[in-house]
């Protein structure tokens, strides 16, 4: 895990997670994450991971990001460079939602509906709180796509996932820039995340519940490989 | 055109490279999953439709794709190394250019290691050629950088679905992400605002990538 130098001139000091691992620790303290993670890998371990599950899981994540940035714009507390960046973030995530929905529809699968999201009380109270939350969301998006990519069967879905994953990576850089993190692009090998890591990361925004898809389901072989059994 | 003595990756963060073995970049790797396609997903839609580019990499095989990627990384790494050495940058700009240089060389090292594991020859370092004045001033250098990054992105994104090994795919998609992050960082240095100006990254067919890098000395 790489540590970045954080320098946010003039911004109020936040207890900002310095690394993704710290972020998960904080969430674990909150309690919701661990429950979600254990729910994901218990039970129906015999069901097969497939592209529809993965696409629906990605759709839920994109819904979360799109919803977050739309609310951030509505809050009216952004200005200058941050406003321009967040406008694009909102637009991109919304386009990702549409693209994945189209993919699912064209496959004859049912896209999940948009979940109801819950945010910390002060999430949209000022620019710094929005950017700090964005800085925790974006690496989760990257990690989810990088982790899911090798599980995707269809080359077309994989091509689309790669295209979106790269954009999420760009979002990490743009948010780093706004937060004064140097270098803006600091990772030679952005890291994949496991399914349960991603689920744990987003569970607090779902009130501790699982995503409505239940997330991609693990086969016994995959669960073994990922160290869950 | 000026010819630049190409360098082996030197003065890099070797620790970083060895710590992150190429194949370890994939958290979800392991045995390749049986490719059980979902009926209907063969139907390409929207952006996916524009990404049939991967078909131009089909049949090359993982080793040949990696050999090509290795040369691309060396080209980028050499370019950024020259940029650092030319003394064009300082402060945050220098930190970013040096970081990208280190990333590209780490990618090259990782790919070379994987080629070794596959028992495949690591290509000789090409004699790279850059346009006159490439390292004469920051603006010219950054403009060229802004043309390099989409080529690397397009190559990895195009090649990814053609890779047979899921381990190599996992590593390639991580490197692809680093290249995308570089593109955005170069946008920042070029004062493109907002720097996150793409909703979807673009794949490139093999022939376009080959044509783009040929003038710089990659003929494979």
């Amino acid at each position: 895990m790489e540590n970045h130098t954080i320098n946010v001139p003039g911004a109020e000091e936040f207890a900002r997670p310095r690394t993704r691992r710290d972020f998960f620790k904080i969430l674990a303290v909150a309690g919701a994450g661990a429950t979600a993670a254990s729910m994901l890998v218990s039970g129906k371990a015999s069901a097969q991971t497939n592209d529809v599950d993965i696409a629906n899981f990605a759709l839920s994540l994109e819904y979360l990001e799109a919803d977050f940035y739309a609310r951030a714009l509505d809050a009216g507390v952004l200005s200058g460079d941050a406003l321009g960046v967040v406008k694009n973030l909102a637009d991109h995530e919304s386009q990702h939602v549409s693209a994945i929905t189209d993919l699912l529809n064209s496959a004859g699968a049912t896209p999940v509906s948009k979940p109801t999201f819950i945010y910390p009380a002060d999430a949209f109270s000022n620019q710094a709180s929005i950017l700090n939350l964005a800085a925790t969301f974006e690496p989760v998006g990257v990690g989810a796509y990088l982790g899911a990519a090798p599980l995707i069967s269809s080359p077309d879905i994989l091509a689309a996932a790669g295209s979106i994953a790269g954009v999420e990576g760009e979002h990490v850089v743009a948010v780093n820039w706004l937060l004064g993190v140097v270098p803006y692009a600091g990772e030679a090998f952005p890291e994949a995340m496991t399914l349960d890591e991603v689920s744990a990361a987003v569970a607090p925004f779902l009130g501790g519940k699982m995503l409505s898809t239940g997330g991609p389901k693990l086969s016994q072989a995959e669960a073994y490989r990922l160290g869950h059994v | 055109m000026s010819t630049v003595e190409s360098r082996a990756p030197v003065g890099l963060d070797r620790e970083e490279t060895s710590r992150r073995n190429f194949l370890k970049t994939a958290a979800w790797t392991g045995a390749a999953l049986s490719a059980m396609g979902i009926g209907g997903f063969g139907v390409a839609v929207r952006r996916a439709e524009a990404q049939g580019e991967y078909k131009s990499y089909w049949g090359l095989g993982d080793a040949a794709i990696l050999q090509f990627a290795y040369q691309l990384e060396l080209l980028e790494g050499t370019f950024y190394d020259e940029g650092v050495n030319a003394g064009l940058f300082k402060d945050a700009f220098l930190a970013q250019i040096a970081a990208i240089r280190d990333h590209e060389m780490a990618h090259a090292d990782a790919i070379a290691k994987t080629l070794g594991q596959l028992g495949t020859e690591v290509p000789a370092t090409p004699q790279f050629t850059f346009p006159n004045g490439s390292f004469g001033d920051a603006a010219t250098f950054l403009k060229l950088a802004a043309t390099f990054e989409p080529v690397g992105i397009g190559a990895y994104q195009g090649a990814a679905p053609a890779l047979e090994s899921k381990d190599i795919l996992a590593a390639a998609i991580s490197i692809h992400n680093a290249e995308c992050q570089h593109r955005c960082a170069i946008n920042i240095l070029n004062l493109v605002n907002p720097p996150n100006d793409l909703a979807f990254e673009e794949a490139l067919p093999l022939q376009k990538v080959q044509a783009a890098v040929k003038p710089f000395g990659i003929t494979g």
Side-chain angles (χ1 to χ4, degrees), chain B residues 51-98:
Chain B
Q51 314 223 351
E53 284 83 358
Y54 61 79
K55 288 176 184 133
S56 63
Y57 298 84
W58 218 260
L60 281 180
D62 291 4
I65 289 172
L66 287 181
Q67 285 176 324
F68 188 58
Y70 174 75
Q71 295 179 76
L72 284 182
E73 296 291 355
L74 282 186
L75 169 60
E76 290 188 299
T78 302
F79 171 72
Y80 287 108
D81 192 43
E82 291 293 328
V84 168
N85 293 339
L88 303 174
F89 301 104
K90 59 178 185 176
D91 302 332
F93 278 56
L94 179 60
Q96 185 62 73
I97 297 297

Side-chain angles (χ1 to χ4, degrees), chain A:
Chain A
M1 186 61 54
E2 295 178 10
N3 275 288
H4 299 296
T5 303
I6 309 279
N7 175 27
V8 190
E12 61 182 286
E13 188 57 32
F14 270 74
R16 177 170 178 251
R18 288 326 199 242
T19 66
R20 202 170 61 221
R21 199 64 62 186
D22 291 344
F23 179 55
F24 292 128
K25 269 187 223 147
I26 289 165
L27 292 176
V29 170
T35 310
S38 62
M39 283 170 65
L40 178 69
V41 296
S42 65
K44 301 178 181 171
S46 59
Q48 183 146 26
T49 298
N50 61 45
D51 288 1
V52 169
D53 288 329
I54 291 172
N56 262 327
F57 191 69
L59 177 57
S60 298
L61 290 178
E62 296 290 351
Y63 266 130
L64 172 58
E65 291 186 302
D67 184 75
F68 171 71
Y69 291 120
R71 286 169 190 260
L73 290 175
D74 284 347
V77 296
L78 300 170
S79 62
D81 294 338
L83 179 59
V85 165
V86 174
K87 273 183 181 170
N88 278 12
L89 293 173
D91 176 53
H92 297 170
E93 308 299 7
S94 156
Q95 288 193 52
H96 297 169
V97 166
S98 300
I100 297 170
T101 300
D102 287 354
L103 276 172
L104 284 159
N105 282 329
S106 76
T110 306
V112 291
S113 51
K114 182 181 170 181
T116 302
F117 298 113
I118 298 162
Y119 301 94
D122 66 344
F124 305 103
S125 58
N126 58 52
Q127 183 162 302
S129 60
I130 289 169
L131 296 180
N132 282 312
L133 204 44
T136 64
F137 274 133
E138 294 296 348
V140 173
V142 171
Y145 281 103
L146 296 189
L151 301 177
I152 296 172
S153 304
S154 154
D156 289 318
I157 298 292
L158 178 56
S163 171
I164 295 176
V167 170
E168 304 296 345
E170 293 202 20
H171 292 175
V172 170
V173 174
V175 173
N176 277 347
W177 173 56
L178 294 174
L179 289 172
V181 178
V182 174
Y184 320 116
E187 286 184 291
F189 299 95
E191 291 186 46
M193 291 170 70
T194 59
L195 288 165
D196 54 333
E197 282 179 323
V198 175
S199 292
V202 299
F205 302 99
L206 293 159
K209 292 189 305 240
M210 284 301 300
L211 292 168
S212 56
T213 54
K217 299 163 197 72
L218 300 177
S219 69
Q220 290 286 15
E222 289 152 6
Y224 177 80
R225 195 160 49 72
L226 299 175
H228 294 312
V229 294

